[in-house]
Amino acid sequence: MHKLHDQDAPRADTITFDDFLKIDVRVGTIVRAESFPEARKPAYKLTIDFGPAIGTKRSSAQITTHYRLEDLIGRQVAAVVNFPPRQIGPFMSEVLTLGFPDEGGEVVLIGPSVGVPNGGQLY
């Protein structure tokens, strides 16, 4: 997870609905969570199941402030699944797990409030 924006950032440029459709945001269930001591900033390595069409993907997420490894297993999260993979130290992050900043700028994960099938697309 990357801190791309903060709460004081200006609103992004207006886009078209077709632009929105280019971003493939899916829901998945965290099936494995590991520490990532090699990361420059505290982070976890997540393995997320996005269902049969997409499969299992990995993500680096800077979520150590609010989440313990053992509490992440089984949690559903939203992620962008169509960015190119990104090398983060020795780890290849395949999806961007999404969250919002809390008052201190620390990441709070977003996901459905009720369980949904893995692989569901945001609309």
Side-chain angles (χ1 to χ4, degrees):
M1 178 167 315
H2 312 286
K3 293 180 184 176
L4 301 175
H5 301 286
D6 66 31
Q7 52 269 41
D8 297 323
R11 195 173 96 176
D13 293 336
T14 300
I15 63 172
T16 67
F17 189 70
D18 286 340
D19 290 333
F20 170 74
L21 292 176
K22 292 176 186 176
I23 303 168
D24 194 357
V25 178
R26 303 286 180 124
V27 65
T29 300
I30 298 172
V31 295
R32 186 172 182 187
E34 305 166 82
S35 62
F36 189 6
E38 305 90 354
R40 282 183 295 155
K41 295 182 181 179
Y44 294 144
K45 294 185 278 187
L46 305 178
T47 303
I48 306 167
D49 179 3
F50 291 99
I54 297 172
T56 301
K57 301 289 181 184
R58 300 181 77 201
S59 181
S60 171
Q62 295 174 5
I63 57 174
T64 59
T65 298
H66 292 297
Y67 304 96
R68 297 181 313 174
L69 290 171
E70 58 271 18
D71 297 333
L72 291 167
I73 306 303
R75 181 185 186 96
Q76 287 196 299
V77 294
V80 177
V81 299
N82 65 332
F83 282 147
R86 182 173 176 191
Q87 189 75 41
I88 301 175
F91 182 76
M92 184 64 72
S93 188
E94 301 171 293
V95 299
L96 175 64
T97 306
L98 299 174
F100 290 108
D102 68 7
E103 301 82 19
E106 297 297 330
V107 178
V108 176
L109 293 171
I110 60 171
S113 58
V114 175
V116 297
N118 288 335
Q121 189 172 25
L122 178 73
Y123 59 81

